[in-house]
Amino acid sequence: MATQHSRSAARIMMAPAVILLLGWMLVPLTMTLLFSFKKYLPLRGGDLGWVGFDNYIRFVSSSAFWPSVQATLVIVGGVLAITVIFGVLLALLLDQPMWGQGIVRILVIAPFFVMPTVSALVWKNMFMDPVNGLFAHLWKAFGAEPISWLSEASMQSIILIVSWQWLPFATLILLTAIQSLDSEQLEAAEMDGASPLARFGYIILPHLGRAITVVVLIQTIFLLSIFAEIFVTTGGSFGTRTLTFLIFQRVLESQNVGLGSAGGVYAIILANIVAAFLMRIVGKNLDA
Amino acid sequence: MGRITLDKVTKSFGATEVIPPLDLTIEDGEFTVFVGPSGCGKSTLLRLIAGLEDVTSGQIRIDGQDATMTPPAKRGLAMVFQSYALYPHMSVRKNIAFPMKMAGIDEAEQNRRIESAAKALNLTDYLERKPGQLSGGQRQRVAIGRAIVREPAAFLFDEPLSNLDAALRVGMRMEISELHKKLATTMIYVTHDQVEAMTMADKIVVLRSGHIEQVGSPLELYHSPRNLFVAGFIGSPKMNFIEGSEAAKYDAHTVGIRPEHIAISDSGGAWSGVVGVSEHLGSDTFFHIHDTGLAETITVRADGEVGFRHGDRVSLTPRTDVMHRFDAQGLRITA
Amino acid sequence: MGRITLDKVTKSFGATEVIPPLDLTIEDGEFTVFVGPSGCGKSTLLRLIAGLEDVTSGQIRIDGQDATMTPPAKRGLAMVFQSYALYPHMSVRKNIAFPMKMAGIDEAEQNRRIESAAKALNLTDYLERKPGQLSGGQRQRVAIGRAIVREPAAFLFDEPLSNLDAALRVGMRMEISELHKKLATTMIYVTHDQVEAMTMADKIVVLRSGHIEQVGSPLELYHSPRNLFVAGFIGSPKMNFIEGSEAAKYDAHTVGIRPEHIAISDSGGAWSGVVGVSEHLGSDTFFHIHDTGLAETITVRADGEVGFRHGDRVSLTPRTDVMHRFDAQGLRITA
Amino acid sequence: MARSVTQQRKAINTVAAWAVGLLIFFPILWTILTSFKTEAQAINDPPLFFFFDWTLENYAVVQERSDYMRFLWNSIAIAGGSTVLGIIIAIPAAWSMAFVPSKRTKDILLWMLSTKMLPAVGVLYPIYLIFIRLGMLDSRTGLIIVLMLCNLPIIVWMLYTYFKEIPGEILEAARMDGAGLKEEILYVLTPMAIPGIASTLLLNIILAWNEAFWTLNLTAAKAAPLTAFIASYSSPEGLFYAKLSAASTMAIAPILILGWFSQKQLVRGLTFGAVK
Amino acid sequence: ETTVTIATVNNGDMIRMQGLADDFTAQHPDIKLEWVTLEENVLRQRVTQDIASKGGQFDVMTIGTYEVPIWAKNNWLVSLNDMPSEWDADDILPAIRGGLTVDGNLYAAPFYGESSMVMYRTDLMEKAGLEMPDAPTWEFIKEAAAGMTDKDSEVYGICLRGKAGWGENMAFLTAMSNSFGAKWFDENWTAQFDSEAWKTTLTFYMDLMTNYGPPGASTNGFNENLSLFQQGKCGMWIDATVAASFVTNPNDSTVADKVGFALAPDNGLGKRGNWLWAWTLAVPAGSDATDEAKTFIEWATSKSYTELVASKEGWANVPPGTRTSLYENQNYLDAAPFAEMTLNSINAADPTNPSVDPVPYTGVQFVAIPEFAGIGTQVGQEFSAALAGQQSVDEALAKAQALTTDEMEAAGY
Ligand SMILES: Nc1ncnc2c1ncn2[C@@H]1O[C@H](COP(=O)(O)OP(=O)(O)OP(=O)(O)O)[C@@H](O)[C@H]1O
Ligand SMILES: Nc1ncnc2c1ncn2[C@@H]1O[C@H](COP(=O)(O)OP(=O)(O)OP(=O)(O)O)[C@@H](O)[C@H]1O
Ligand SMILES: [Mg+2]
Ligand SMILES: [Mg+2]
């Protein structure tokens, strides 16, 4: 595989993808960095000159900053926990023999295809609305006071909506992983006297390790930048302002591009911290 | 402590009956080998004994006790799988300890048994490795180690050597034989390799399509195969079969003669033919003889020094005293 | 039309030198087998010849012309891979046609060659099937067919039979031998199975860690192994090695004696010992004899009818005329 | 474990799995049902399940208000175009990584993936300015390029994991057979990887289809896909659950159907080589 | 053929205009209209982004009275002074026109205009034994809310905006605070959320909403309250005057014939708590089809468009609040019982002098500076969180004060 010829061919064939992505990363990144050191207010005439680290200082010292980092981590962490735990349980259930497995799988996979905007709209209006939402009807049917989901339990609601969208993804990967488990291993454990619970704990769960890492990695990448779900439901109120959303407010609502760019740089740093963390685990797991 | 009896056991998957009613007794301490072509039901039979499959009807008794409904873990049997089925995320030590942990055996005893198994199997240096870091033969031994520590009433092996390369296979098959000598525990061993069957077994069970074709010691099967199927299956190179007028001379529909029972010479034999491919192993030479008028080729084994060449005309002398005769149904004619 | 010369060829992967400087000439029309233990560099050598790897230094000449820098496709060699490497999405016909298509050979000629290859390899009925619908042996033949149609200067085979089961392996190795007889093209064949090497080769190249240990015909290697490694590698079961005072009797550091060259009897032999495991193949019996005071075990081959049992005390008579003597460096003593 | 499972156990599994499946699917089902109700029925208390006057009126209203087909076509063109373009660029890259791996291969792969972690809002302004400069605002081409770049890391990674499953020997065989690099990729690798390429294609079509930030911010009228279509239905004046449902159904139906028909490939694709 | 790309908000009147656009294209076959219909927040974000970076994607933008003066100062809008005389610029209501004029140039044409007022259920008032004056005080509103609330049958005395956003709860609260004498900034642009007046305002609002408001009010915006009112769940609703035509429309509203109207409440300080807003059409400076865009605006905001709507959909549905002539049209007055109250409300608003004390800014329910949208939304979120019970009034005000100060500093005031 590794003649001189093929190695140089490989380099050439890799070039388009690498160059494009490099451009896609570097050009906006450079501009963002540039803006972040400027007072850049489009509504006041645009570029108003260099300001050093002002924007950076202002961004972190704003009372909204740390809560937004916290909100980001809580949402990512919450969704990951829910999707992984329920994903494993659901995958175990779907792996059992049953009638109509194919159809159940179709039902379970469906939320993955729904646009985030649509899913947020549907949940917000048709389920979580405290007056006309289905939950409200349900609560009333049981004589309880309807909950105003998006304000009283805003974080939980958003985590629920996002989890609903990502649960199929986790479930499917985990299901495939379970099905790829060598059945002889389970039989061996059975011969060795392991109860179903022990088989789950000692054989299935460790086997799923790799799949879980991939679920966590991929989901984190997408979850760090969720936007539509928050924009449509709470608009960032009630403690649901994530870092992404805070940047959105700075850039688009306040039209303070300099400040927003500084926020963008922070977000990149945060993403990279999380990523480095994940990559270390996944990198190890990838070619194992 | 390890007598296994199958009583009119049958097994169907859906509508297809894989094992028609079958009776078999495996004596305590015996090394029994199930052989047969692929798909004949060897694994299924083993799994029925292990309890990994339910019998469709019939009864399985272990040491006289009905075990038909007993779950696998309770049957006191240990199984070594073709893929070894080691737990990839556990170290060798943990793999071996697993059945004991499940049985709630205390740590000290666990360690004692692990050490002794590791010593017996030459695994002491590898106890802390993961299965992925072991060679095929070592993995094989870990799987056996995991089986041994349970001190089972019987060991079940499903083609444990088929994933190993030729050289390793020879070594491992000796190790298993020696293990059997040492432990004197009942062992049931599935293979489709007749050399393994011949060299390891106390008793061979030849299966075809779920039927038992013959049960006996390796040499019984070699010397008195009950029918054409067994005759062809046991022995390497394969027995030569001759039909037609030559067979009629011996009052048989088919006669069988093993390659090692035919002498080859320049002239003077009963049959003659032309040398095709000859395979020189040093110790032996296999000649494939064409144009004999008896069968497409007749294989002859000669010792290493005989030097005929491709195209030579040769003369063959069969040893009629060890010739096998079969009737039109393929059954051995004994008289 | 197929003389291959390696001239001081070396190959390193990074810092590790897998092939130290190596010279080798393969004559036109010769069937050369590379044998050696796993990891000794057989595949690497073959791939260097094929051009799938670059040599680190040295020169490869094909028919006298320097081909060191020639890309694989231009060397005029055909390769049959261990996994067959058939194109799973193409029919057998398309698979076979692929190299001709790449070479821009016209359709009519393509079809002519495909038909004739298919006929030679018994593939005519399968031309429209996909590789996935073929048995192992048939796939093997398609791979050979794909190689044949290119009318290459030489064929390269990398363990082509190791994925087949025992019975098929025997059949296919005969087919390849016959093909070589028919085409008389140079063939280089890699295996780690010494039986294959012995039965197929005109010339065997024994490799260890990238070094050539010995080059010669199968029987040369069997009768006159140049050193302990070759002696141990060629022949099955393995040659017995005896060191110490018994060896000193023959003026050697080590003497080697093949199992088939030791006679076994109740008494009267030169050596004595206790029967350990005995492997009954019907045609032969291998006895593993312990407690001889010579080596851990001595393996003896006797013919099928000899009946010693585990624990019997037996007497052994080696044929001293075919005994091999080695010095302290493990080299053969010829005088 | 091939032991016969008792019918009773199977029945319990079936009930449990269907219950969970329906629960998960319910929001979508409810949306579809609501889209066939009148506005009054949509907010009826107690909620109406199947027994109401089914009407297509909402769909008619939505269609009259916005030219659904144009949004749909844009979605198809953008999602399809970006995916196909991405795959064309990714195949050679994935080939290199899978078959000529070097020490840096894994780093490059992870780096590519890390570009997906750039927060889009953070770079919206620069991208917008670049787009103005290039005159690509509100053009399908522009969106195809942006979405292609967004998904390229995922495409490369997926293809890479598929290619790695293809034995290198086959490519070497092709090389021995006289195939050049182009023929090797065109005649051997690509056809063999068709299932993998198909699932990559599908997953990325879905991701591109549902991408709501760039598609909304870089388009106006001409290139606006279904994400923009649905943006005109969120919080209108008054309570239009039925119409919202109809619009939602129209926005997700094509991809839902595509996803269902191809779920087998997709499931394989989704695993990112996590499981073999 | 020239293409005119129009960015519009997805409300009823705009959607209707889209439906009637065939009339325009019939008159101008050489102009092709492309519609980009977006939800209000998305629209605002899109058009702001586009105009600030000179993207030039739109030829006609739907913007509010907040944006017009700011954008006009940046020379981002094309002056509409040269509109033909038939269009009759002088007919536009002075309050509205004033808000769209910068340095004597008209920069946007109002499509519809609105103020806010009290809408109440006559039947419930009667049941409570009260009578709504034409110009109620906040105290009376509270009394009436208490009287009408019947939580067991899901009737809530008052529905007000609670959803965060500068155009949502802050529009209401800013307007309300004016009547309490509060203001955003003093004349040195110092934030005023630490003032007593704001505390009174917010405390009063919270008091009303927690005792007499519907559940989950913190996520209720215009739409949510509209549907609550239409379903008969609100006793009073103080919101945009345009809502009047919806709540009195028997097709959508279960209480159409039981609605009364009154001016927004006051506190005796001389200012009422009503706002002034208009959705307008403007031409961005970067447009490459300025003339055609103007032609379209002329059509969409003309008197004849009003007649076109009236002929197709009835007089009650014509876009209100922009032209004096409409309020002199008997057909309209007949069809729209709320017309007079609407006009009075609009006239009662004073964008240039919104609060009791003098302030450095214009705008009734907003502050016409570019930073306001961002600040307003964030302050709105704090107030919304207070309404949701997640923090106290004091905390919310303190945070509002801090973040406003912060942002103003960042903007260089
Ligand atoms: N779970 C199953 N469902 C249906 N048929 C099965 C099942 N397991 C095995 N069979 C069938 O039963 C027959 C016997 O299979 P079995 O695995 O016992 O064969 P085997 O002798 O072990 O073959 P091999 O040597 O290839 O392992 C085969 O025809 C197989 O197709
Ligand atoms: N691409 C490579 N990079 C690094 N080392 C390699 C590479 N390919 C082979 N090697 C090393 O070179 C040595 C020879 O390998 P090779 O594959 O030639 O052995 P082999 O004789 O064919 O073994 P086998 O019988 O197992 O196929 C081995 O030690 C192997 O680990
Ligand atoms: Mg089997
Ligand atoms: Mg090799």
Side-chain angles (χ1 to χ4, degrees), chain B residues 13 16 18 36-45 53 82 158-159 190 192, chain D residues 2:
Chain B
F13 288 112
T16 50
V18 173
S38 188
C40 69
K42 305 179 295 290
S43 298
T44 306
L45 200 54
E53 302 274 1
Q82 181 169 0
D158 192 354
E159 308 203 16
V190 165
H192 59 246

Side-chain angles (χ1 to χ4, degrees), chain E residues 14-347:
Chain E
M14 292 289 181
I15 302 289
R16 189 174 293 131
M17 168 167 70
Q18 251 184 73
L20 296 173
D22 286 346
D23 178 71
F24 175 79
T25 37
Q27 292 171 35
H28 304 276
D30 55 333
I31 299 178
K32 186 164 172 269
L33 301 180
E34 291 271 21
W35 298 90
V36 179
T37 313
L38 295 167
E39 183 263 329
E40 182 175 333
N41 291 313
V42 181
L43 172 79
R44 183 170 294 124
Q45 165 205 324
R46 285 289 291 113
V47 294
T48 310
Q49 163 83 25
D50 192 68
I51 199 136
S53 52
K54 303 183 178 54
Q57 290 199 65
F58 307 105
D59 301 305
V60 174
M61 290 180 173
T62 305
I63 53 180
T65 39
Y66 165 62
E67 283 91 1
V68 175
I70 301 173
W71 292 11
K73 273 190 206 114
N74 283 334
N75 291 323
W76 288 345
L77 297 178
V78 174
S79 162
L80 298 183
N81 279 355
D82 55 353
M83 292 296 264
S85 57
E86 312 90 83
W87 186 63
D88 198 2
D90 294 333
D91 187 37
I92 296 170
L93 291 174
I96 303 278
R97 188 176 173 183
L100 305 176
T101 306
V102 175
D103 298 334
N105 292 316
L106 183 67
Y107 282 103
F111 183 73
Y112 71 76
E114 63 177 34
S115 179
S116 56
M117 63 183 174
V118 181
M119 290 162 273
Y120 64 94
R121 289 272 299 282
T122 48
D123 54 333
L124 293 176
M125 278 304 264
E126 209 168 298
K127 216 166 103 191
L130 294 166
E131 193 171 345
M132 178 69 75
D134 268 356
T137 62
W138 282 110
E139 277 310 321
F140 177 80
I141 294 291
K142 189 170 180 176
E143 190 189 333
M148 288 192 279
T149 300
D150 177 4
K151 289 192 177 171
D152 290 336
S153 46
E154 290 194 341
V155 173
Y156 306 98
I158 188 153
C159 295
L160 298 174
R161 294 185 180 187
K163 181 185 184 176
W166 72 266
E168 291 280 3
N169 64 343
M170 288 318 289
F172 176 82
L173 278 165
T174 305
M176 175 176 172
S177 76
N178 289 336
S179 65
F180 278 78
K183 55 186 180 274
W184 271 77
F185 302 103
D186 69 8
E187 284 184 292
N188 302 319
W189 291 102
T190 314
Q192 295 295 311
F193 287 106
D194 50 359
S195 67
E196 198 53 37
W198 261 110
K199 187 166 177 186
T200 325
T201 311
L202 201 57
T203 312
F204 193 90
Y205 167 81
M206 293 283 293
D207 195 31
L208 267 183
M209 292 304 285
T210 38
N211 291 326
Y212 317 116
S218 56
T219 50
N220 286 353
F222 176 84
N223 295 321
E224 290 80 2
N225 283 330
L226 171 61
S227 80
L228 284 171
F229 196 90
Q230 287 179 336
Q231 291 172 60
K233 293 182 176 170
C234 297
M236 286 178 290
W237 179 29
I238 307 177
D239 214 309
T241 49
V242 285
S245 72
F246 303 136
V247 296
T248 54
N249 180 345
N251 291 335
D252 298 326
S253 177
T254 56
V255 295
D257 54 346
K258 301 171 200 139
V259 189
F261 305 95
L263 287 180
D266 72 347
N267 238 356
L269 297 174
K271 290 285 172 192
R272 305 206 78 86
N274 62 326
W275 66 65
L276 183 69
W277 182 255
W279 277 114
T280 71
L281 300 177
V283 183
S287 163
D288 50 8
T290 312
D291 292 337
E292 291 79 1
K294 282 185 182 170
T295 313
F296 171 76
I297 290 178
E298 185 197 336
W299 171 80
T301 56
S302 66
K303 292 181 204 163
S304 55
Y305 176 77
T306 311
E307 276 154 24
L308 180 67
V309 177
S311 70
K312 294 246 159 92
E313 316 259 347
W315 277 103
N317 289 318
V318 302
T322 59
R323 288 179 176 271
T324 319
S325 55
L326 182 66
Y327 292 90
E328 290 161 355
N329 183 322
Q330 196 53 45
N331 291 329
Y332 180 65
L333 295 179
D334 289 345
F338 44 80
E340 192 194 343
M341 197 55 77
T342 301
L343 186 65
N344 290 343
S345 294
I346 290 175
N347 287 336

Side-chain angles (χ1 to χ4, degrees), chain C residues 47 50 52 72-73 77 79 81 83 85-90 98-99 102 146 150, chain D residues 167 169-180 183-184 187-189 191-192:
Chain C
R47 292 162 56 82
L52 293 170
L77 308 175
M79 185 147 167
F81 292 84
S83 64
L86 300 181
Y87 310 124
H89 55 288
M90 300 182 194
F98 188 75
M102 290 298 115
R146 192 172 61 180
R150 299 185 57 202
Chain D
E169 282 193 348
I170 292 193
L171 300 188
E172 293 185 336
R175 234 167 282 170
M176 290 294 295
D177 284 346
E183 289 87 4
E184 177 182 326
Y187 294 126
V188 182
L189 178 65
M192 280 183 70

Side-chain angles (χ1 to χ4, degrees), chain D residues 1-271:
Chain D
M1 258 161 296
R3 241 159 324 147
S4 53
V5 182
T6 59
Q7 296 292 301
Q8 190 191 352
R9 195 148 147 240
K10 198 166 166 184
I12 294 172
N13 290 336
T14 308
V15 170
W18 275 87
V20 175
L22 285 173
L23 192 70
I24 289 176
F25 184 65
F26 185 75
I28 296 172
L29 178 70
W30 188 243
T31 307
I32 296 173
L33 286 178
T34 306
S35 72
F36 292 107
K37 298 175 186 174
T38 63
E39 292 298 347
Q41 287 166 340
I43 53 170
N44 202 58
D45 187 9
L48 301 169
F49 277 86
F50 294 99
F51 306 104
F52 52 83
D53 307 323
W54 292 65
T55 169
L56 285 172
E57 190 198 317
N58 300 308
Y59 288 93
V61 170
V62 169
Q63 174 57 32
E64 191 192 339
R65 221 183 97 174
S66 29
D67 183 2
Y68 173 71
M69 292 319 276
R70 195 181 67 180
F71 290 102
L72 177 67
W73 165 240
N74 279 333
S75 268
I76 291 172
I78 291 166
S82 68
T83 304
V84 169
L85 186 64
I87 282 185
I88 291 172
I89 293 172
I91 284 180
W95 173 89
S96 306
M97 291 179 179
F99 298 114
V100 193
S102 74
K103 280 190 289 286
R104 278 167 309 164
T105 300
K106 216 168 73 183
D107 297 334
I108 293 177
L109 208 58
L110 291 178
W111 163 73
M112 285 189 169
L113 213 55
S114 77
T115 62
K116 272 208 75 68
M117 297 197 178
L118 288 184
V121 273
V123 295
L124 172 62
Y125 238 90
I127 297 289
Y128 206 87
L129 294 179
I130 294 170
F131 262 56
I132 293 171
R133 182 70 51 83
L134 299 177
M136 288 203 297
L137 279 178
D138 199 19
S139 73
R140 281 191 287 264
T141 321
L143 269 189
I144 285 174
I145 290 171
V146 164
L147 293 191
M148 182 274 286
L149 287 167
C150 278
N151 288 336
L152 192 58
I154 302 267
I155 300 182
V156 172
W157 194 12
M158 286 180 70
L159 289 180
Y160 165 76
T161 56
Y162 283 117
F163 287 179
K164 270 203 356 184
E165 285 174 29
I166 291 175
E169 282 193 348
I170 292 193
L171 300 188
E172 293 185 336
R175 234 167 282 170
M176 290 294 295
D177 284 346
L181 201 57
K182 198 184 85 204
E183 289 87 4
E184 177 182 326
I185 291 182
L186 221 57
Y187 294 126
V188 182
L189 178 65
T190 308
M192 280 183 70
I194 283 289
I197 292 175
S199 42
T200 309
L201 204 82
L202 282 167
L203 180 70
N204 284 283
I205 285 179
I206 291 169
L207 290 177
W209 188 277
N210 289 339
E211 206 289 328
F213 185 81
W214 294 116
T215 48
L216 206 55
N217 277 295
L218 299 178
T219 63
K222 292 196 287 293
L226 286 170
T227 42
F229 164 82
I230 198 70
S232 76
Y233 285 89
S234 58
S235 49
E237 275 174 2
L239 207 57
F240 296 119
Y241 282 10
K243 281 174 200 77
L244 173 65
S245 297
S248 297
T249 306
M250 288 163 92
I252 63 173
I255 207 72
L256 204 59
I257 291 166
L258 177 73
W260 279 347
F261 274 115
S262 56
Q263 58 137 343
K264 283 239 169 59
Q265 279 78 7
L266 198 68
V267 170
R268 238 176 79 81
L270 278 175
T271 60

Side-chain angles (χ1 to χ4, degrees), chain A residues 39 42-44 58 62 130-132 140 148 150-151 231 235-238 241 248-250 252-255, chain E residues 42 45 48-49 52 74 76 154 164 216 218 228 231 233 370-371 374 377-378 381 384 388 390 407 410 413:
Chain A
K39 183 163 178 169
L43 291 178
R44 292 187 166 274
R58 201 176 291 285
S62 132
V131 178
N132 293 306
K140 274 182 272 180
S148 172
L150 290 169
S151 54
F231 183 77
S237 329
F238 314 118
R241 181 160 46 190
F248 161 79
Q249 284 193 336
R250 296 291 185 254
L252 288 171
E253 282 186 6
S254 305
Q255 286 286 318
Chain E
V42 181
Q45 165 205 324
T48 310
Q49 163 83 25
N74 283 334
W76 288 345
E154 290 194 341
S218 56
L228 284 171
Q231 291 172 60
K233 293 182 176 170
E371 291 72 26
T377 298
Q378 292 179 65
Q381 290 181 347
S384 189
Q390 289 166 354
E407 291 265 337
Y413 281 88

